[in-house]
Every structure is written in structure tokens, then in C-alpha cells.
Amino acid sequence: MSDIVVDRISKRYRIPRRREPFWALRGVSFEVGRGEALGVVGANGSGKTTLIRLLCGITTPTEGEVRLDGRLSGLVDVGAGFHPDLTGRENIFLNGAILGMSHREIERKIGSIVEFSGIGPFQHLPVKKYSSGMYVRLGFAIAVHLDADILLLDEVLAVGDIEFQARCFDRIGQLRGSGKTIVLVSHDLAAIERLCDRALLLAHGEVTRNGDPRAIIEAYQEESYRALPDPARGSTAQRPIVAARLTFEGHDGGPARTGDPLTCRLAYEANRALGDVVFTVSFNWPSGYLCTEISSGAGANLEAGAGEVEFTIPLLVMQRGLYSVDVAISRGGERLDWRPRCSLLRVDPGRIIAGDFYQDHRCQIRQHSTGAGANVRHSDSSVTRCN
């Protein structure tokens, strides 16, 4: 049984001084089963928020149909339903009533709502004095306290400190466990992977992929990386040395896998003889932050012409995922060539791990007894969580 059925919906907007209409969504169809958590990802302008607004009934589709089976609670626009001159406590009653909660139900839950949102000391202040984070925390707290069958959330996990985000994750986990249907729109790809059973990828108002969250996220990352401009593009004639090609080879010529060896080969072209040259290959998280890097170490003396640097990684510790790769060639702190996001490294699942890295190690257990001696057990594989 499906709680949400989206049947070939399209949404058209007319923009002043523009002849052609703008289609925010075109022919979108999918279903969300009862108790399922669906994530929606895509670039800005792909139609994610329009989709959520159609599901909430804020706007209607130009074509197609949306069918919902169950009571709906949604958090789409920051502060929607709040009156700026009313206090936080008063707005709980106002917003709760808009969402369909009775006065008695709100009275019963208001203590929990205030505690969850963290606005306790400020509940008697007008919300116009709240920060945007306080707005969203209060709105989220009200929405998740509604006894709804379907919960729609648009970018609410991006606001708040670590403690509040942890409470959000826990609360959404509780709702999933109780059989609620959830649709989550977010740029927080880790949250999509952690919380959702399935994901949709939207691009230019159309569903381009629908399936396993991790596979969808990796496809989205790859498309996003390919679309980024390369600031290093342009004439290479004036550079003393340029990176020409980067390749990766896993164990026995296969793909890169967690826990397996990896070989990285960087081809270069030196336009003249150079001394003290250092080659660096950096691997970045999907967020863009540096994960790790490998370097040739001490500076090398190079002759003019083509050459290749080979890096050997005996055991790849990185978690499964898609990493963008930067290449830098430098000398004495001077960057001779820099290629940001010049390649992608896809790491497939290998050894089972928890956390961010696989930590290779040995384990030895010694049991001391009063008998003839100690019983010693050895283990060469284990699971270690690295934070």
C-alpha cells in the first residue's frame, strides 16, 4: 500500500517579460509506500521544493495528480504559519492548530515541544526576535509532534547545532520505527543515506534516477563534479610542467576497494629540466573537505620530457564512496601546476567496516587460568570504528 502516489505531475510558471513558460517539474511519477522514507536530492533549481509544495498542497500541479492516504505534516518554509508578534509559546498553539492539532492535544505536548526545540528561556519572547535557526527548530519540533501518517521535510536538518541535529536524527528514527511515511529533501547527502530507504534524483524538473540512496548519491556527486569548471584549464605552453593524465588501478587490475591495495599513476610533461619537484594527489570528501593525500615526498630532479609518477598504497583505508581528486605539482612552495577536481575515485565496498576508515590490525586474546596454562587466540581481521 502506498501513502503517496505522484502520477505524471508537471508544474508550469509564467515569468513576466518571457514568452516561454517555465516548467519547474515535467512528468514526475513515483510512489512512497507506507512506512517508507524517501530522500529527494538534486542541484539548486532542480524542482525539489516545488515537489514538496505540491505534496503539501501549497500549490497545485498544472498537469497530473497527487494522491495522499493519511494525515499530513510538513515543514517546508521557515516560519510558515508563525506570527512575528506572537511569542514562541503562542505560536505553538497557532501553528499546531494550522496543522490540525486540537487545543487539548497541544496543551498535552507543549512541554515536550518547547524542550525539543530548545527555546525554553525564550518561549515568552516574540518570534520576530528569534534567529532563523530558532525558527526552524521550533517549526520542526511542532511538525514532529503531530500524530501524522506522512511527514514532509525540506532542508530542516541543515539548521541547528550538533546536539539538535542528533535529536532530529533520533526523532526521525523513532517515526520510521513507528511506521510513519517520510519524504526528506536535503543537500545533506549523509542524512539522506542514513535515514532513507530510497532516493530520487531530480534534474531540470525531471526524475533521472530512482533507487538505492547510496547509488543515487554517488550518481549525483559524479554529475555535479563533471559540471564544475576547471580553473586550471587554458594554455599550458607557459607552464614549466603540467599534469597530463591520472589513473587508478585496484588489486589485480580491478576497481578500488576498501582494504585492498591501490596503484595511482600520474603522467606529466616537463617543458624544461626542473629540480626539487614534488607531486601531490589529494582525495576530497563529497563535502569538498580534504580526506587524505599522497605525496612523492622529497623533491625530485626531472629532465625535460614526459614521465610518470607511480604511487603504491598497500592498503586503502577509505570508506566506500565517490571522492574528487586534486593534483598539484610544486617546487619550494611554488605551485607549478594545479588540477582541482581533475578526476574521480570510486571506492567500492571491500572489507566490512564501521565508521570512516578501515583500520588494519591484529588482535590477540590471552585467557589467564589456574590450569595448565593460558589459552591464546589470534585474529587477523576485525572491525574498528574511527571517529
Side-chain angles (χ1 to χ4, degrees), residues 14-299:
R14 298 195 179 277
I15 301 176
R17 301 180 183 178
R18 179 175 170 176
R19 288 188 177 184
E20 296 296 323
F22 172 73
W23 291 90
L25 292 174
R26 290 298 298 262
V28 172
S29 296
F30 63 90
E31 297 185 12
V32 186
R34 179 156 297 173
E36 186 180 14
L38 175 73
V40 181
V41 298
N44 290 334
S46 61
K48 302 186 301 297
T49 298
T50 300
L51 175 60
I52 285 290
R53 288 177 175 173
L54 288 170
L55 295 177
C56 286
I58 295 174
T59 186
T60 57
T62 306
E63 299 173 356
E65 183 182 15
V66 175
R67 298 190 297 273
L68 304 177
D69 183 12
R71 190 181 186 188
L72 175 71
S73 176
L75 184 57
V76 180
D77 294 318
V78 175
F82 286 171
H83 192 294
D85 293 321
L86 297 181
T87 67
R89 192 176 184 89
E90 291 167 339
N91 270 292
I92 293 174
F93 282 93
L94 174 62
N95 196 250
I98 292 173
L99 291 174
M101 299 170 70
S102 67
H103 189 85
R104 180 173 296 179
E105 182 182 1
I106 298 170
E107 283 185 327
R108 189 175 68 252
K109 296 178 178 179
I110 192 167
S112 177
I113 293 172
V114 169
E115 180 182 2
F116 189 94
S117 65
I119 66 160
F122 314 103
Q123 60 181 297
H124 299 295
L125 283 177
V127 296
K128 64 184 179 183
K129 296 184 179 180
Y130 285 9
S131 67
S132 59
M134 294 172 70
Y135 254 75
V136 174
R137 293 202 307 270
L138 182 56
F140 181 85
I142 298 170
V144 297
H145 278 80
L146 177 66
D147 291 329
D149 304 300
I150 304 169
L151 181 63
L152 307 178
L153 303 172
D154 185 10
E155 292 294 358
V156 298
L157 298 177
V159 179
D161 56 19
I162 294 175
E163 180 186 0
F164 181 75
Q165 290 184 2
R167 273 184 280 156
C168 291
F169 282 125
D170 290 343
R171 182 61 177 170
I172 293 176
Q174 293 170 8
L175 293 171
R176 288 190 60 194
S178 63
K180 306 298 184 185
T181 302
I182 298 171
V183 177
L184 172 63
V185 172
S186 181
H187 286 291
D188 186 345
L189 302 181
I192 294 288
E193 183 176 340
R194 174 179 173 180
L195 296 172
C196 298
D197 306 300
R198 186 164 53 93
L200 296 179
L201 176 58
L202 284 177
H204 308 294
E206 298 181 354
V207 175
T208 59
R209 293 177 184 267
N210 182 349
D212 174 70
R214 172 159 277 185
I216 297 299
I217 288 168
E218 289 182 1
Y220 172 46
Q221 290 171 342
E222 186 165 5
E223 291 176 7
S224 299
Y225 289 141
R226 299 297 186 194
L228 289 172
D230 182 359
R233 286 177 184 159
S235 174
T236 61
Q238 304 304 317
R239 302 176 193 170
I241 186 172
V242 294
R245 186 178 65 258
L246 181 68
T247 60
F248 299 101
E249 184 177 306
H251 182 60
D252 291 335
R257 294 180 183 275
T258 303
D260 285 355
L262 178 71
T263 301
C264 170
R265 296 184 179 91
L266 172 61
Y268 67 86
E269 182 76 32
N271 294 321
R272 56 183 173 84
L274 295 167
D276 198 28
V277 177
V278 177
F279 298 86
T280 304
V281 179
S282 303
F283 303 93
N284 306 301
W285 296 112
S287 61
Y289 290 103
L290 176 66
C291 173
T292 188
E293 67 180 21
I294 53 179
S295 173
S296 61

Side-chain angles (χ1 to χ4, degrees), residues 323-343:
Y323 299 81
S324 64
V325 184
D326 304 341
V327 169
I329 306 176
S330 59
R331 179 181 60 180
E334 176 190 5
R335 183 178 285 170
L336 304 177
D337 192 22
W338 179 54
R339 300 289 171 144
R341 305 179 302 273
C342 65
S343 183

